[in-house]
Amino acid sequence: MQAAALLMLVPVASQAESCLAPVRPFVPSDSQDARDYADIIRRDFEVYIADIQDYFRCLEQERARAFEEAREVSQDYGRFLELVGD
């Protein structure tokens, strides 16, 4: 019985995902540079838009995971309080 109680106290590795925001595209302030590099800049924006959508999905998945973890921890705390008589 004691071993089982000790196992409950061992922290479990978190499955949290690290969501990294994409870098904003650079737009030169010089109009000639903007025209000269229009294809590259346009591509940077397209990549950014795809990456920010992935980032939003990642944040939503992490929010859902953290919410579930918090619910489980709350239940664990309730069981702990019952064990110690609080």
Side-chain angles (χ1 to χ4, degrees):
M1 181 75 164
Q2 249 181 346
L6 287 175
L7 285 176
M8 289 175 50
L9 297 176
V10 175
V12 177
S14 177
Q15 300 274 335
E17 185 172 343
S18 179
C19 302
L20 299 175
V23 176
R24 290 179 69 151
F26 172 75
V27 179
S29 57
D30 181 87
S31 61
Q32 185 58 49
D33 286 344
R35 282 190 295 279
D36 290 346
Y37 298 102
D39 291 341
I40 294 170
I41 296 167
R42 189 174 292 111
R43 176 72 180 135
D44 287 348
F45 273 97
E46 291 168 357
V47 168
Y48 176 85
I49 291 166
D51 288 351
I52 200 72
Q53 291 171 345
D54 290 342
Y55 176 65
F56 289 146
R57 279 189 287 277
C58 179
L59 290 174
E60 180 58 29
Q61 290 170 354
E62 177 54 17
R63 186 207 61 79
R65 185 212 60 80
F67 185 83
E68 179 61 22
E69 180 181 278
R71 187 188 64 73
E72 291 170 359
V73 168
S74 179
Q75 290 174 344
D76 291 346
Y77 186 54
R79 285 190 292 275
F80 164 76
L81 292 177
E82 288 177 8
L83 286 173
V84 296
D86 283 351

